[in-house]
Amino acid sequence: MPMPPPPALSPAFAPGLWPAEAGDLADVVMNDPLLLVLGLLVWLPIAFWVVVLVQNLISGDLEFHHCLIGVCLSIALGAITMKPPHPALTIYLFLLVILLTVFFPTGQEILRQRQRSQMAAEEVEELYVTIDAYPLNWLARFELAKRLWSMGHGAQAIALGETSIVHMPGMLYDTEHNTLKRWKARFRPEGAPTGTRCLDCGRLNSLDAIRCESCNAPILLHLIRGRWVGRGAGIRLFWSWATLLLILVGVPYAALALPGRFAALGVIFLLLVALISVITIVLGGRKQLRS
């Protein structure tokens, strides 16, 4: 007696596909267990993303609405990975999430650099107040040189240190003299700047200048703050991450999930939004440079 054929799967469930209509989880496991495993594992790095977003909210690097958008994007990415319009998208999205998670330390280092820069800028502001009140306070000027050296501005640090050290007797300021000698021994002049350009008026000042010789702006304070480590660095980093998700996730999802001409319109719309976001990020960085 011939064996009866095995029961057919639901027509809504094709092997290798994980549509929302496939309500039987056992069918999913039997046909594509890898998709189920990846769909579950993807929530681990996404949970890490959410924790990082909340930490940046607490530290003040992000505002509440940025954190909320980031959490929603993360959850949506996890949901799409579990139930994609095409099985290959699960593997692609899982690898993308892992790749972005690997690069998270780079973003965290940018934010840590921002925090160090903010702390140094606050110290430099206090030194400016002291120097403005007591212009002949050479020790305060040398302390300013120390901040410059710690932030990687060796040429300005050595020039300001040399100007200050001539007024500081070696018997009383032996530590400062030895510090300047160490700087000179470690400094490599190749490619070093020949002056400090004012970000307000554009004048090129001498390396030991504290204020712009033309507009009196605090040029060394501007130098310490830098371009991408000032205020708004965390927000620009967030929008860069969101734009990357829009391009790498939104575009292929729209192409596969939307029918016919709507897929092309959806892809074009998402690319236009991404382009506007990139332009906004770049213009924001340039505005920060001038501010």
Side-chain angles (χ1 to χ4, degrees):
M1 182 177 181
M3 297 291 294
L9 296 177
S10 170
F13 185 83
L17 213 56
W18 195 338
E21 293 81 2
D24 191 353
L25 184 62
D27 287 346
V28 175
V29 177
M30 291 177 59
N31 285 271
D32 281 299
L34 178 61
L35 299 186
L36 177 65
V37 172
L38 296 182
L40 295 176
L41 288 179
V42 77
W43 291 102
L44 295 178
I46 286 179
F48 170 73
W49 290 10
V50 172
V51 171
V52 172
L53 288 169
V54 173
Q55 288 177 343
N56 290 329
L57 173 65
I58 295 174
S59 65
D61 292 317
L62 294 178
E63 298 179 8
F64 176 77
H65 63 278
H66 296 125
C67 182
L68 181 61
I69 293 173
V71 171
C72 292
L73 286 176
S74 301
I75 295 176
L77 179 57
I80 294 174
T81 305
M82 291 194 69
K83 292 187 177 181
H86 190 279
L89 202 58
T90 291
I91 301 175
Y92 165 75
L93 293 178
F94 179 80
L95 294 177
L96 178 63
V97 169
I98 296 300
L99 183 63
L100 291 177
T101 304
V102 170
F103 282 100
F104 252 76
T106 302
Q108 292 299 99
E109 178 57 30
I110 292 176
L111 295 180
R112 282 193 291 268
Q113 184 182 0
R114 170 187 177 270
Q115 293 171 352
R116 290 193 297 266
S117 179
Q118 282 186 328
M119 294 176 59
E122 292 173 359
E123 295 172 351
V124 168
E125 285 178 335
E126 295 176 358
L127 289 172
Y128 263 95
V129 172
T130 302
I131 294 171
D132 288 342
Y134 306 98
L136 300 182
N137 188 333
W138 303 108
L139 182 59
R141 290 173 178 264
F142 197 88
E143 288 297 323
L144 180 54
K146 286 183 179 179
R147 302 301 184 276
L148 291 168
W149 180 266
S150 66
M151 296 301 296
H153 305 291
Q156 287 86 350
I158 292 176
L160 183 58
E162 289 178 333
T163 303
S164 306
I165 208 71
V166 297
H167 302 280
M168 303 168 64
M171 295 180 61
L172 299 178
Y173 300 98
D174 180 66
T175 301
E176 285 74 15
H177 280 262
N178 291 333
T179 298
L180 184 58
K181 291 178 182 178
R182 288 197 301 271
W183 290 352
K184 291 181 177 179
R186 296 171 56 185
F187 182 67
R188 296 294 178 266
E190 297 82 7
T194 58
T196 305
R197 189 169 299 279
C198 177
L199 298 183
D200 287 348
C201 68
R203 179 187 177 91
L204 184 64
N205 299 269
S206 59
L207 286 173
D208 61 344
I210 294 179
R211 289 188 175 274
C212 178
E213 300 164 0
S214 176
C215 66
N216 203 40
I219 53 177
L220 297 182
L221 180 58
H222 292 169
L223 187 67
I224 289 290
R225 283 176 175 167
R227 179 183 301 184
W228 272 78
V229 293
R231 295 176 181 176
I235 295 176
R236 284 193 297 275
L237 185 63
F238 166 80
W239 285 119
S240 300
W241 169 77
T243 303
L244 196 63
L245 287 183
L246 187 66
I247 297 173
L248 298 180
V249 178
V251 170
Y253 181 80
L256 293 173
L258 297 178
R261 67 180 64 180
F262 292 102
L265 293 176
V267 169
I268 294 174
F269 173 76
L270 291 176
L271 291 177
L272 287 176
V273 173
L275 178 61
I276 294 174
S277 179
V278 170
I279 294 174
T280 303
I281 293 169
V282 173
L283 293 180
R286 292 182 177 179
K287 182 179 179 181
Q288 175 64 34
L289 179 61
R290 294 191 297 266
S291 63

